[in-house]
Amino acid sequence: MRELLEQYDAWRAEGLEVGRAVVIRTYGSAPRQAGSVLLVADDGRMIGSVSGGCVEGAAAEAVLESRRSGHARVIRYGVSDEQAWDVGLACGGTIDVLVQPSLPEEVLAAARATADGRGETQLGTSLITPLPKNTPPDPADKQVTTATTAGDEGVANLAHEALAAGRSQTVMAGERAYFLESFPVRPRLVVVGATEVGRSLVGLAKALGYECVVIDARSAFATAERFPDVDRLIIDWPEEAFETIGLGPNDAVAVLSHDPKFDEPAIADAIRRGARYVGAIGSRKTQADRRRRLIDSGLTDEQLVSLRGPIGLDLGGREPAETALAILAEIVAVRRGGSSGAMAAVLGPTGTTGEILKLVPPG
């Protein structure tokens, strides 16, 4: 997003107007997800992507046409498997693209705020955009039917849920389609315990774009030499550190110190603060004993349902880096709403996700 904003500002400084195309729905094995953006300047230069390269030219022409007409519209692009191979994609797909003659001010403001780590909430900002009345219907009938107007609580709740999951999507409200565009702030991983697993976990999470914080009251473990890539290293007790960083719903907390005097206060405080993910290392026996003590300390059974322990997915690994991979996989699954199951089991033995429709050719 930051790169797109920098280019947008450069084009505007040259006196150029800029329109955009944004993916609002996908079907089949589409190469880009909803929310993917292509910006197009008046002179034809473009940045970003709405596919893997197969419809960018057609989408850019549509943006320029919308600049001339002054009207937004939704275009459906279908890419056959044969066409996909021709442009270097592994599979085809279908996308609905909202083409706009300019970048709306509210979109620009939301993008700038979240790029700077801010937003309307700790999660970021979500915008509700009514789509043109001629928007193609969802052929897969996967849209969520909600209340009758964009201002109704049902649509707003869906927008919040989409933002919490870090995704954009299109929903139906009565006879009208609305695009729920999410601008999530950078997700944050908070590691309690400067352990070897924690070192590997920080490295993996940084590669996925997470802001990483490591907390440990033991200064001998929490050193810059051991954690050179961490965004913030805090030598303090977890509860005090959580207050310092403002722990909240955008955060994943991995409790790795394996010491009750650190672990249990950290778990209890993270759950009470509503962290998106709370996981703690330890065997099943350790987890059972820990849960009993946490209940004795005032947590309820309902609150402890959210605790992931033993932490991570069952990948069968034993090395610190393998354990870290299992933890991060679970964090991603929770954030994105994944099943944590094998893709073959999710998609079926052939991996098919439905029939690819023959629609607008890429051009």
Side-chain angles (χ1 to χ4, degrees):
M1 178 59 71
R2 191 177 298 277
E3 181 184 3
L4 268 64
L5 289 172
E6 290 174 352
Q7 186 60 72
Y8 172 85
D9 290 337
W11 283 336
R12 295 292 289 121
E14 294 178 31
L16 296 171
E17 297 294 335
V18 181
R20 77 160 182 167
V22 54
V23 178
I24 63 167
R25 282 188 299 219
T26 67
Y27 316 99
S29 300
R32 298 301 305 274
Q33 64 183 358
S36 300
V37 172
L38 175 73
L39 298 182
V40 184
D42 278 346
D43 62 0
R45 284 181 288 174
M46 55 185 177
I47 186 172
S49 176
V50 292
S51 72
C54 47
V55 302
E56 265 66 21
E61 285 297 323
V63 171
L64 294 175
E65 174 57 34
S66 76
R67 294 274 312 129
R68 291 187 285 268
S69 70
H71 298 298
R73 62 179 177 141
V74 174
I75 304 174
R76 180 164 291 168
Y77 296 99
V79 184
S80 69
D81 288 340
E82 292 77 12
Q83 290 168 327
W85 278 111
D86 288 343
V87 295
L89 299 177
C91 53
T94 301
I95 58 174
D96 284 350
V97 177
L98 171 63
V99 175
Q100 297 173 302
S102 61
L103 196 60
E105 285 299 321
E106 61 271 21
V107 169
L108 188 59
R112 291 193 192 283
T114 51
D116 292 337
R118 298 176 290 111
E120 292 181 357
T121 70
Q122 284 185 307
L123 296 173
T125 302
S126 183
L127 300 178
I128 301 173
T129 301
L131 294 173
K133 291 184 178 180
N134 62 351
T135 297
D138 184 348
D141 196 28
K142 292 180 181 177
Q143 291 173 325
V144 179
T145 300
T146 62
T148 55
T149 69
D152 282 351
E153 185 178 352
V155 180
N157 288 341
L158 286 173
H160 179 77
E161 291 172 9
L163 177 61
R167 66 173 184 269
S168 298
Q169 67 182 90
T170 293
V171 300
M172 289 299 297
E175 299 297 319
R176 194 72 181 269
Y178 295 87
F179 179 46
L180 311 182
E181 189 168 9
S182 295
F183 296 87
V185 297
R186 186 182 178 193
R188 184 165 61 176
L189 170 65
V190 180
V191 178
V192 177
T195 64
E196 287 302 305
V197 171
R199 292 181 65 189
S200 296
L201 184 55
V202 167
L204 293 172
K206 291 287 287 184
L208 293 187
Y210 281 74
E211 176 187 354
C212 294
V213 178
V214 172
I215 298 168
D216 202 313
R218 301 165 298 183
S219 58
F221 292 88
T223 66
E225 290 76 19
R226 297 188 69 234
F227 291 89
D229 299 324
V230 75
D231 294 286
R232 192 166 181 181
L233 191 62
I234 301 177
I235 302 173
D236 206 342
W237 291 84
E239 291 173 289
E240 285 73 17
F242 289 172
E243 181 66 27
T244 298
I245 66 174
L247 189 81
N250 191 48
D251 297 317
V253 180
V255 181
L256 308 178
S257 52
H258 221 317
D259 186 331
K261 67 176 178 290
F262 293 112
D263 292 356
E264 290 168 18
I267 292 167
D269 200 31
I271 290 175
R272 291 188 180 108
R273 289 175 178 270
R276 181 199 303 271
Y277 171 97
V278 183
I281 203 165
S283 67
R284 291 188 181 278
K285 181 180 184 306
T286 297
Q287 300 292 340
D289 293 342
R290 176 187 288 148
R291 285 173 182 268
R292 282 193 292 271
R293 290 193 296 269
L294 287 169
I295 287 176
D296 290 341
S297 72
L299 287 184
T300 65
D301 287 325
E302 290 75 16
Q303 288 175 310
L304 284 174
V305 167
S306 64
L307 176 61
R308 303 281 174 148
I311 194 171
L313 301 183
D314 181 13
L315 302 184
R318 293 294 180 266
E319 296 299 320
E322 293 173 329
T323 301
L325 176 62
I327 295 169
L328 189 58
E330 186 175 53
I331 290 171
V332 171
V334 169
R335 179 168 183 255
R336 297 298 191 184
S339 68
S340 300
M343 289 298 293
V346 174
L347 297 180
T350 64
T352 58
T353 57
E355 181 181 357
I356 300 299
L357 302 177
K358 184 178 180 181
L359 300 165
V360 179

